């Protein structure tokens, strides 16, 4: 029996990424407290939240294979969340100017029937150009990326802010590392290319 696939996220960016694989899936909105715990390292936080989202969705989809994901942007030990408004976005981009942001994306694939959980954290480095206040404001005028961690949309004009990108999985920057996810899905018998080499009997 084919198990349904559920994305435990209402992010339009993650939805668009998963659609690229051509696998039918549903979305679920997990109600999870995303507050960072005291002194919690970013890698630990995103992994914990990815698992929490998958487990929350499993309560409503007990027969499904569930994808949970969470992401933060960091400069050193400082976690940059979604700015929410223009002033905070200016502050974040001024802080990022000429520096490197590390995006940590936690990924969890949960088979709700067997209880098997696969998790990983995928890092991605964004090296920023030196940014003047004028360029920052011009960018924000164009895209208003106030719902994006780090205050930019890499799939849009945000690319103009970067000097260099560094990482194994470019889709991780947008919030769902597809290269790594495909490997996890194949281990559960879900192959986007329709083969069966990776399935088990």
């Amino acid at each position: 029996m084919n198990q349904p696939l559920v994305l435990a996220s209402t992010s339009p960016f993650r939805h668009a990424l998963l659609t690229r694989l051509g696998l039918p899936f549903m979305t679920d909105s997990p109600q999870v407290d995303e507050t960072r715990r005291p002194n919690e390292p970013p890698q630990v936080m995103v992994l914990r939240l990815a698992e929490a989202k998958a487990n929350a969705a499993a309560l409503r989809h007990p027969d499904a294979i569930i994808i949970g994901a969470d992401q933060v942007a960091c400069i050193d030990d400082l976690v940059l969340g979604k700015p929410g408004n223009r002033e905070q976005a200016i502050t974040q981009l001024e802080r990022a100017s000429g520096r490197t942001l590390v995006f940590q994306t936690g990924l969890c694939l949960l088979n709700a029937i067997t209880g098997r959980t696969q998790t990983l954290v995928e890092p991605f480095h964004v090296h920023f150009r030196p940014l003047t206040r004028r360029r920052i404001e011009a960018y924000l005028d164009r895209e208003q990326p106030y719902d994006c961690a780090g205050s930019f949309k890499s799939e849009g004009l945000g690319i103009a802010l970067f000097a260099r990108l560094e990482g194994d999985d470019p889709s991780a920057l947008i919030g769902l590392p597809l290269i790594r996810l495909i490997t996890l899905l194949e281990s559960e018998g879900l192959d986007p290319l329709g083969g069966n080499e990776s399935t088990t009997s």
Side-chain angles (χ1 to χ4, degrees):
M1 181 181 70
N2 291 329
Q3 291 177 251
L5 182 64
V6 173
L7 175 63
S9 172
T10 56
S11 163
F13 308 110
R14 291 192 180 109
H15 186 280
L17 283 170
L18 189 55
T19 298
R20 289 168 56 181
L21 300 188
L23 297 170
F25 69 94
M26 301 176 288
T27 58
D28 183 273
S29 178
Q31 302 301 312
V32 171
D33 181 358
E34 299 189 23
T35 304
R36 185 184 184 187
R37 293 173 177 169
N39 303 314
E40 186 176 34
Q43 299 95 321
V44 174
M45 175 185 171
V46 295
L47 198 58
R48 173 177 62 83
L49 291 177
E51 288 189 73
K53 291 174 183 180
N55 285 317
L59 297 176
R60 290 179 292 279
H61 305 277
D63 61 341
I65 293 174
I66 301 166
I67 301 165
D70 192 74
Q71 184 183 67
V72 295
C74 312
I75 296 179
D76 300 325
D77 290 330
L78 177 65
V79 172
L80 304 181
K82 299 175 182 178
N85 58 56
R86 183 182 179 85
E87 292 71 25
Q88 288 297 318
I90 290 172
T91 298
Q92 287 193 359
L93 290 175
E94 286 182 335
R95 184 173 285 129
S97 175
R99 302 188 65 190
T100 299
L101 261 66
V102 181
F103 281 78
Q104 302 285 359
T105 303
L107 181 64
C108 175
L109 189 70
L110 169 63
N111 187 323
I113 291 180
T114 66
R116 183 187 185 199
T117 300
Q118 302 178 74
T119 60
L120 60 89
V121 177
E122 183 71 13
F124 198 90
H125 295 74
V126 178
H127 303 268
F128 274 76
R129 300 172 183 267
L131 303 174
T132 64
R133 177 69 175 251
R134 182 189 62 80
R135 289 178 65 83
I136 289 172
E137 292 187 342
Y139 169 67
L140 296 177
D141 287 343
R142 294 278 293 275
E143 285 201 320
Q144 297 93 43
Y146 307 134
D147 62 343
C148 301
S151 302
F152 64 84
K153 296 180 181 179
S154 61
E155 67 277 19
L157 186 59
I159 198 75
L161 307 175
F162 308 154
R164 184 164 61 92
L165 300 176
E166 179 185 359
D168 294 331
D169 191 337
S171 54
L173 179 57
I174 309 175
L176 191 65
L178 293 182
I179 294 173
R180 303 295 299 276
L181 176 60
I182 288 169
T183 300
L184 302 186
L185 289 170
E186 286 177 341
S187 73
E188 290 291 346
L190 291 173
D191 183 354
L193 295 179
N196 58 10
E197 295 89 344
S198 299
T199 61
T200 56
S201 58

